[in-house]
Structures are given as C-alpha cells and as structure tokens.
Amino acid sequence: MVRQGRVIVNGDFAELGQRIDSAVDRVEVDGLRVQLDPTKQYFLLNKAEGVITTTKDPEGRTTVLDVIGIHERVFPVGRLDIATEGLLLLTNDGELTHRLTHPSFEVTKTYVAEVAGSIGRGVIRKLTVTGVDLGEEELFKADAVRVLGSRKGPGGNRAVVELDVHEGPKHLVRRVMEAVDRPVLRLVRTGMGPLKLGRMKTGSYRHLTQAEVDALYREVGL
Ligand code: URA
C-alpha cells in the first residue's frame, strides 16, 4: 500500500503541482518539517581522540574538517575537547546550530565517561540532586546519571558512567567528574537530542538522513 503523506506548505494544504522555493518555504509531511534546501549539509562524525574541533589550526594539527575532507563551508556544532571522542555534527545550517548550542533550548547531550574510582549512590546523588560547585552562579546538576559498568584493577577501581547534560561550558564533564574526585580517563559523546552515535567506527563520518534532520528540527522547535 502506498501511504499518502499529508503535505502542508507554509501552513496550508499543498495543491497538486504546487511549486515551492526550497530555501524559503516551510514544507511539512504528516506533521514533520522536511528540510529540502539542497545547499544545507549535515554530517555526523565520530571524532577520534587527537582531532581538534576547529575549522583551521595554526599549528597544523588535524581538524574535524580535514577528517571529512569536504570543501563546503560547514562548521562544528559545539565543540569536543581534543581528547574527547564521539558524536560531532557539522553543518552550514546556522539556525539549527544556534538552537542546538544555545542553553535556552536545553538540548540533552549524552556522554559516556570512563573514570577512576567507583560510582556509588553518594556520587550519583551529588551529581544529580545536591549539585557540584564549578565556580559558576549555580551548582551544576546532571539531568541523569547511569552507571554502565565497573571493575577492580591493579591500579584501582574504574567505572563507566553515562551522563545526560544540557549545558555546554568548556570541559564540563571533565570538570564535573574531577569535582567529585572521579577524574575522566576516556570521554565519548554518544548523543545530542534525538541524534545518536550508534555503531559508527571512530574517525568515520556520514551524511545525516532526512529523518535525523527532521528530528533535530523538531527538537529545537523549527
Ligand atoms: N565535556 C568535556 O569535559 N569535554 C568535552 O569534550 C565535552 C564535554
């Protein structure tokens, strides 16, 4: 069965054969906005450790743009530390970038951190309820913390913990974990709103699907 999508252009039902300007008109199919502008580019990179989140580096280090090797002017959405791995979106969609990175839109970013030490109830409570003093106006609280694993080793305990946060100051996760005395040994971003890293190989990249772009648009109310 072919499913008939309900197409709305700028708030009105589309007419058969209606022409649209993809750069200006707002098109929705079954209630979901569709990004049709062919000049808009969206890449998802699984950033490797050692790659820097900038478009040019005066010191000649490998940048995220070197990795995806494209000449279109796309920019990273937010930044990951040089040592941090994982999900990095690159796009030339300025409004989407603004909304995904501005704290007022409260887009959840998910990180998986391997830390030194174990994570018990006390640490989780501090991270989510009591809050952590980072020297800012308010105490920092994570939206959620999940312990994914822990092990004892000759050099001490290690834990793997997943954190949902919606703020973006520099080195946030490393600073927060340092503040609870669980320094980060490895950090990977695995999610940004509805966008998930999934099983991409470190250092690989791909175009976002239309469904992923739509989901990001919806997340930030575009
Ligand atoms: N928090 C950090 O500490 N580093 C990152 O790269 C991202 C979030």
PDB file of all heavy atoms in Angstrom, residues 79-81 84 111 169-175 187, ligand 1:
ATOM      1  N   ARG A  79      31.575  22.047  20.599  1.00  0.00           N
ATOM      2  CA  ARG A  79      32.936  21.528  20.465  1.00  0.00           C
ATOM      3  C   ARG A  79      33.183  20.360  21.407  1.00  0.00           C
ATOM      4  O   ARG A  79      32.543  20.242  22.443  1.00  0.00           O
ATOM      5  CB  ARG A  79      33.956  22.639  20.704  1.00  0.00           C
ATOM      6  CG  ARG A  79      34.000  23.186  22.105  1.00  0.00           C
ATOM      7  CD  ARG A  79      34.965  24.343  22.199  1.00  0.00           C
ATOM      8  NE  ARG A  79      36.352  23.982  21.941  1.00  0.00           N
ATOM      9  CZ  ARG A  79      37.112  23.311  22.792  1.00  0.00           C
ATOM     10  NH1 ARG A  79      36.622  22.873  23.917  1.00  0.00           N
ATOM     11  NH2 ARG A  79      38.365  23.055  22.504  1.00  0.00           N
ATOM     12  N   LEU A  80      34.105  19.520  20.964  1.00  0.00           N
ATOM     13  CA  LEU A  80      34.600  18.444  21.823  1.00  0.00           C
ATOM     14  C   LEU A  80      36.079  18.718  22.062  1.00  0.00           C
ATOM     15  O   LEU A  80      36.789  19.144  21.141  1.00  0.00           O
ATOM     16  CB  LEU A  80      34.442  17.084  21.133  1.00  0.00           C
ATOM     17  CG  LEU A  80      33.011  16.595  20.872  1.00  0.00           C
ATOM     18  CD1 LEU A  80      33.038  15.263  20.121  1.00  0.00           C
ATOM     19  CD2 LEU A  80      32.236  16.440  22.171  1.00  0.00           C
ATOM     20  N   ASP A  81      36.537  18.457  23.282  1.00  0.00           N
ATOM     21  CA  ASP A  81      37.962  18.608  23.578  1.00  0.00           C
ATOM     22  C   ASP A  81      38.780  17.728  22.643  1.00  0.00           C
ATOM     23  O   ASP A  81      38.285  16.712  22.147  1.00  0.00           O
ATOM     24  CB  ASP A  81      38.271  18.130  25.002  1.00  0.00           C
ATOM     25  CG  ASP A  81      37.535  18.926  26.057  1.00  0.00           C
ATOM     26  OD1 ASP A  81      37.174  20.078  25.782  1.00  0.00           O
ATOM     27  OD2 ASP A  81      37.334  18.376  27.153  1.00  0.00           O
ATOM     28  N   THR A  84      38.501  14.211  23.587  1.00  0.00           N
ATOM     29  CA  THR A  84      37.160  13.602  23.617  1.00  0.00           C
ATOM     30  C   THR A  84      36.825  13.004  22.259  1.00  0.00           C
ATOM     31  O   THR A  84      37.171  13.552  21.218  1.00  0.00           O
ATOM     32  CB  THR A  84      36.101  14.654  24.008  1.00  0.00           C
ATOM     33  OG1 THR A  84      36.468  15.217  25.262  1.00  0.00           O
ATOM     34  CG2 THR A  84      34.717  14.040  24.115  1.00  0.00           C
ATOM     35  N   TYR A 111      26.985  11.710  27.347  1.00  0.00           N
ATOM     36  CA  TYR A 111      28.410  11.352  27.338  1.00  0.00           C
ATOM     37  C   TYR A 111      28.602  10.042  28.086  1.00  0.00           C
ATOM     38  O   TYR A 111      27.940   9.808  29.099  1.00  0.00           O
ATOM     39  CB  TYR A 111      29.239  12.423  28.056  1.00  0.00           C
ATOM     40  CG  TYR A 111      29.253  13.748  27.343  1.00  0.00           C
ATOM     41  CD1 TYR A 111      28.278  14.697  27.599  1.00  0.00           C
ATOM     42  CD2 TYR A 111      30.240  14.029  26.394  1.00  0.00           C
ATOM     43  CE1 TYR A 111      28.280  15.918  26.934  1.00  0.00           C
ATOM     44  CE2 TYR A 111      30.245  15.240  25.726  1.00  0.00           C
ATOM     45  CZ  TYR A 111      29.262  16.185  26.001  1.00  0.00           C
ATOM     46  OH  TYR A 111      29.274  17.374  25.333  1.00  0.00           O
ATOM     47  N   PRO A 169      29.275  24.485  29.002  1.00  0.00           N
ATOM     48  CA  PRO A 169      30.554  25.163  29.213  1.00  0.00           C
ATOM     49  C   PRO A 169      31.724  24.227  28.897  1.00  0.00           C
ATOM     50  O   PRO A 169      31.577  23.013  28.937  1.00  0.00           O
ATOM     51  CB  PRO A 169      30.548  25.556  30.693  1.00  0.00           C
ATOM     52  CG  PRO A 169      29.400  24.892  31.306  1.00  0.00           C
ATOM     53  CD  PRO A 169      28.512  24.345  30.236  1.00  0.00           C
ATOM     54  N   LYS A 170      32.857  24.840  28.605  1.00  0.00           N
ATOM     55  CA  LYS A 170      34.037  24.067  28.193  1.00  0.00           C
ATOM     56  C   LYS A 170      34.416  23.019  29.229  1.00  0.00           C
ATOM     57  O   LYS A 170      34.400  23.313  30.429  1.00  0.00           O
ATOM     58  CB  LYS A 170      35.229  25.006  28.027  1.00  0.00           C
ATOM     59  CG  LYS A 170      35.345  25.626  26.663  1.00  0.00           C
ATOM     60  CD  LYS A 170      36.671  26.355  26.555  1.00  0.00           C
ATOM     61  CE  LYS A 170      36.836  26.921  25.165  1.00  0.00           C
ATOM     62  NZ  LYS A 170      38.067  27.685  25.032  1.00  0.00           N
ATOM     63  N   HIS A 171      34.781  21.857  28.775  1.00  0.00           N
ATOM     64  CA  HIS A 171      35.297  20.768  29.626  1.00  0.00           C
ATOM     65  C   HIS A 171      34.310  20.376  30.720  1.00  0.00           C
ATOM     66  O   HIS A 171      34.713  19.923  31.790  1.00  0.00           O
ATOM     67  CB  HIS A 171      36.640  21.166  30.275  1.00  0.00           C
ATOM     68  CG  HIS A 171      37.577  21.889  29.369  1.00  0.00           C
ATOM     69  ND1 HIS A 171      37.962  21.364  28.149  1.00  0.00           N
ATOM     70  CD2 HIS A 171      38.202  23.085  29.489  1.00  0.00           C
ATOM     71  CE1 HIS A 171      38.796  22.222  27.558  1.00  0.00           C
ATOM     72  NE2 HIS A 171      38.937  23.269  28.344  1.00  0.00           N
ATOM     73  N   LEU A 172      33.027  20.574  30.469  1.00  0.00           N
ATOM     74  CA  LEU A 172      32.024  20.376  31.529  1.00  0.00           C
ATOM     75  C   LEU A 172      32.147  19.018  32.220  1.00  0.00           C
ATOM     76  O   LEU A 172      32.250  18.935  33.441  1.00  0.00           O
ATOM     77  CB  LEU A 172      30.608  20.540  30.959  1.00  0.00           C
ATOM     78  CG  LEU A 172      29.496  20.299  31.969  1.00  0.00           C
ATOM     79  CD1 LEU A 172      29.437  21.413  32.985  1.00  0.00           C
ATOM     80  CD2 LEU A 172      28.150  20.151  31.288  1.00  0.00           C
ATOM     81  N   VAL A 173      32.128  17.953  31.439  1.00  0.00           N
ATOM     82  CA  VAL A 173      32.082  16.620  32.050  1.00  0.00           C
ATOM     83  C   VAL A 173      33.375  16.346  32.817  1.00  0.00           C
ATOM     84  O   VAL A 173      33.359  15.838  33.939  1.00  0.00           O
ATOM     85  CB  VAL A 173      31.822  15.540  30.976  1.00  0.00           C
ATOM     86  CG1 VAL A 173      31.864  14.149  31.595  1.00  0.00           C
ATOM     87  CG2 VAL A 173      30.476  15.778  30.303  1.00  0.00           C
ATOM     88  N   ARG A 174      34.505  16.733  32.226  1.00  0.00           N
ATOM     89  CA  ARG A 174      35.789  16.514  32.931  1.00  0.00           C
ATOM     90  C   ARG A 174      35.821  17.307  34.243  1.00  0.00           C
ATOM     91  O   ARG A 174      36.261  16.802  35.276  1.00  0.00           O
ATOM     92  CB  ARG A 174      36.961  16.943  32.035  1.00  0.00           C
ATOM     93  CG  ARG A 174      37.129  16.040  30.828  1.00  0.00           C
ATOM     94  CD  ARG A 174      38.220  16.555  29.879  1.00  0.00           C
ATOM     95  NE  ARG A 174      38.046  15.970  28.566  1.00  0.00           N
ATOM     96  CZ  ARG A 174      38.476  14.756  28.223  1.00  0.00           C
ATOM     97  NH1 ARG A 174      39.138  14.034  29.082  1.00  0.00           N
ATOM     98  NH2 ARG A 174      38.249  14.289  27.002  1.00  0.00           N
ATOM     99  N   ARG A 175      35.324  18.541  34.203  1.00  0.00           N
ATOM    100  CA  ARG A 175      35.340  19.376  35.419  1.00  0.00           C
ATOM    101  C   ARG A 175      34.410  18.799  36.485  1.00  0.00           C
ATOM    102  O   ARG A 175      34.736  18.755  37.667  1.00  0.00           O
ATOM    103  CB  ARG A 175      34.924  20.807  35.074  1.00  0.00           C
ATOM    104  CG  ARG A 175      36.014  21.566  34.336  1.00  0.00           C
ATOM    105  CD  ARG A 175      35.476  22.811  33.689  1.00  0.00           C
ATOM    106  NE  ARG A 175      34.912  23.762  34.611  1.00  0.00           N
ATOM    107  CZ  ARG A 175      33.958  24.629  34.296  1.00  0.00           C
ATOM    108  NH1 ARG A 175      33.430  24.644  33.085  1.00  0.00           N
ATOM    109  NH2 ARG A 175      33.505  25.475  35.179  1.00  0.00           N
ATOM    110  N   LEU A 187      36.532   9.864  27.370  1.00  0.00           N
ATOM    111  CA  LEU A 187      35.213  10.505  27.262  1.00  0.00           C
ATOM    112  C   LEU A 187      34.704  10.410  25.823  1.00  0.00           C
ATOM    113  O   LEU A 187      35.441  10.732  24.881  1.00  0.00           O
ATOM    114  CB  LEU A 187      35.342  11.974  27.679  1.00  0.00           C
ATOM    115  CG  LEU A 187      34.053  12.783  27.769  1.00  0.00           C
ATOM    116  CD1 LEU A 187      33.084  12.177  28.783  1.00  0.00           C
ATOM    117  CD2 LEU A 187      34.356  14.235  28.167  1.00  0.00           C
TER     118      LEU A 187
HETATM  119  N1  URA B   1      32.735  17.863  28.443  1.00  0.00           N
HETATM  120  C1  URA B   1      34.070  17.758  28.456  1.00  0.00           C
HETATM  121  O1  URA B   1      34.691  17.768  29.512  1.00  0.00           O
HETATM  122  N2  URA B   1      34.719  17.651  27.285  1.00  0.00           N
HETATM  123  C2  URA B   1      34.104  17.604  26.104  1.00  0.00           C
HETATM  124  O2  URA B   1      34.748  17.478  25.075  1.00  0.00           O
HETATM  125  C3  URA B   1      32.697  17.705  26.094  1.00  0.00           C
HETATM  126  C4  URA B   1      32.044  17.834  27.286  1.00  0.00           C
END
